[in-house]
Amino acid sequence: MADVAKLAGVSHQTVSRVLNGAPHVRPDTRERVLAAIRELDYRPNSAARALVTRRSQTLGVVSFDSTLYGPASMLDGLERAARSAGYFVSVASLRSLDTRSVQEAVDRLRDQGVEGVVVIAPQTSATSAVARLSSSVPVVAVGSGAQARVPMVSVDNRAGAEAATRHLLDLGHRTVHHLAGPAGWMESEDRQAGWRATLEAAGAEVPKAETGDWSARSGYEAGLRIARAEGVTAVFCANDHMALGLLRAFHEAGRSIPGDISVVGFDDIPEAAYFTPPLTTLRQDFGELGRRALELLVAELTVGRAVRTPAEVRISPETVLRRSTGPAARG
């Protein structure tokens, strides 16, 4: 800063005012300082600034299995929202979301000086881990259950499953089969609960659910079994990747989509519109998810951590109608 001040012919206090955007600096003086900064390639020392302001402008994110579309998209949405708000993001990616692993990750992020932490917690084990966290910085959970006991943002998976199931029933299908996600995942459990509740409310038969592991391969294997079953006319898949495998299995079995069987997915991955046929699905707005999580965390940082009921934000998914669903075949 002293070098910039010397080159610009001003005091280091003036340089500081320019860097901090203070309004009471003459335009020509501001331009001289900025020109000197460009010429010297000056960068403020973020560590020194953090010591003075006690603000690192850095947030921590604890994530899990970012190879999956949902967690990866949540992380991307958070990073974009943080960048727009002027924060950097430091990520700790875990293989296991048990209590010890989550606590250690949060502690490492605190050692880096983060101001707050977002935990992407899609599994029930992660929800329990978040509920047991000991942390001196604010924590917000994304994709968790209410028992996490911290401010939380999530997609309303149950409402999305209800919408998918109602859509198929409204097309005249007598019941809807379900390809569920793996046990221990909040999304899987909530979507299965929404599917079941909608069938029961309509007085429809509740078939036994098939179970996959979120992958297209597991959807294909389940699809081969479902294709051999009698009377199946509609299937709701807990995510789009499993729906992709299911569609292939049905094509190989000679089952027309949607002539013989209608299929609905969940997520609206970028490729869903290019499946054969294009997939009807429930779209999750991961950008909005990230923005709302960041709003909760910044609110915690701004107003402090007074004892109160943790905020809970649920974002409704949007039904995207394409060509994989149609009226039930008469017969």
Side-chain angles (χ1 to χ4, degrees), residues 20 32 34 82-83 120 139 169 210 239 243 298:
N20 291 312
R32 288 206 317 275
L34 293 175
R83 196 160 53 243
I120 298 176
V139 175
L169 292 176
E210 293 279 350
N239 80 336
V298 171

Side-chain angles (χ1 to χ4, degrees), residues 47-57 113-115:
R49 176 176 289 184
L51 286 173
V52 173
T53 65
R54 297 187 179 181
R55 298 291 304 275
S56 67
Q57 293 301 118
V114 300
E115 296 184 35

Side-chain angles (χ1 to χ4, degrees), residues 14-321:
T14 299
V15 175
S16 179
R17 286 195 291 271
V18 171
L19 289 171
N20 291 312
H24 304 299
V25 179
R26 292 171 51 184
D28 59 330
T29 301
R30 185 184 302 277
E31 183 51 44
R32 288 206 317 275
V33 171
L34 293 175
I37 288 172
R38 289 192 295 270
E39 182 176 339
L40 295 173
D41 194 25
Y42 170 75
R43 296 290 184 272
N45 187 315
S46 57
R49 176 176 289 184
L51 286 173
V52 173
T53 65
R54 297 187 179 181
R55 298 291 304 275
S56 67
Q57 293 301 118
T58 302
L59 304 176
V61 177
V62 178
S63 183
F64 170 74
D65 200 350
S66 56
T67 62
L68 291 173
Y69 179 75
S73 298
M74 290 181 194
L75 180 57
D76 180 68
L78 280 165
E79 287 185 316
R80 290 174 182 270
R83 196 160 53 243
S84 297
Y87 287 90
F88 297 101
V89 171
S90 182
V91 180
S93 184
L94 303 180
R95 292 185 178 182
S96 172
L97 286 175
D98 58 89
T99 299
R100 179 178 177 179
S101 298
V102 173
Q103 184 67 65
E104 288 177 350
V106 171
D107 289 343
R108 288 199 305 272
L109 291 169
R110 287 173 55 200
D111 290 344
Q112 296 175 22
V114 300
E115 296 184 35
V117 177
V118 177
V119 181
I120 298 176
Q123 292 181 312
T124 52
S125 61
T127 299
S128 299
V130 172
R132 293 181 172 88
L133 272 178
S134 171
S135 177
S136 61
V137 298
V139 175
V140 169
V142 179
S144 184
Q147 61 269 38
R149 300 175 187 170
V150 299
M152 179 195 74
V153 182
S154 66
V155 171
D156 194 336
N157 290 289
R158 181 166 180 143
E162 291 170 351
T165 308
R166 279 198 306 270
H167 168 62
L168 291 165
L169 292 176
D170 290 346
L171 288 171
H173 298 278
R174 293 180 179 179
T175 190
V176 178
H177 287 67
H178 183 44
L179 175 51
W185 286 72
M186 300 299 302
E187 292 98 330
S188 178
E189 295 177 4
D190 288 349
R191 292 170 195 177
Q192 188 166 355
W195 160 77
R196 183 179 300 277
T198 304
L199 291 181
E200 290 174 345
E205 175 193 355
V206 182
K208 181 181 178 181
E210 293 279 350
T211 301
D213 62 7
W214 301 126
S215 70
R217 176 192 53 77
S218 68
Y220 174 74
E221 292 171 351
L224 293 177
R225 295 190 294 271
I226 295 171
R228 293 192 294 266
E230 295 291 334
V232 178
T233 67
V235 181
F236 164 49
C237 296
N239 80 336
D240 290 349
H241 284 105
M242 291 193 298
L244 172 61
L246 191 87
L247 291 176
R248 175 176 170 178
F250 287 169
H251 284 304
E252 290 182 0
R255 307 297 294 273
S256 170
I257 310 297
D260 296 328
I261 304 178
S262 289
V263 177
V264 176
F266 206 114
D267 283 340
D268 194 29
I269 62 175
E271 299 84 2
Y274 303 97
F275 288 2
T276 304
L279 184 66
T280 294
T281 187
L282 278 296
R283 175 182 296 154
Q284 302 193 60
D285 189 341
F286 290 106
E288 178 69 2
L289 199 68
R291 186 180 69 80
R292 298 295 290 274
L294 188 77
E295 285 180 354
L296 281 183
L297 189 55
V298 171
E300 290 283 295
L301 293 169
T302 303
V303 304
R305 308 186 68 188
V307 177
R308 61 187 185 280
T309 303
E312 180 178 347
V313 177
R314 291 193 181 274
I315 300 172
S316 297
E318 173 191 358
T319 304
V320 180
L321 299 178

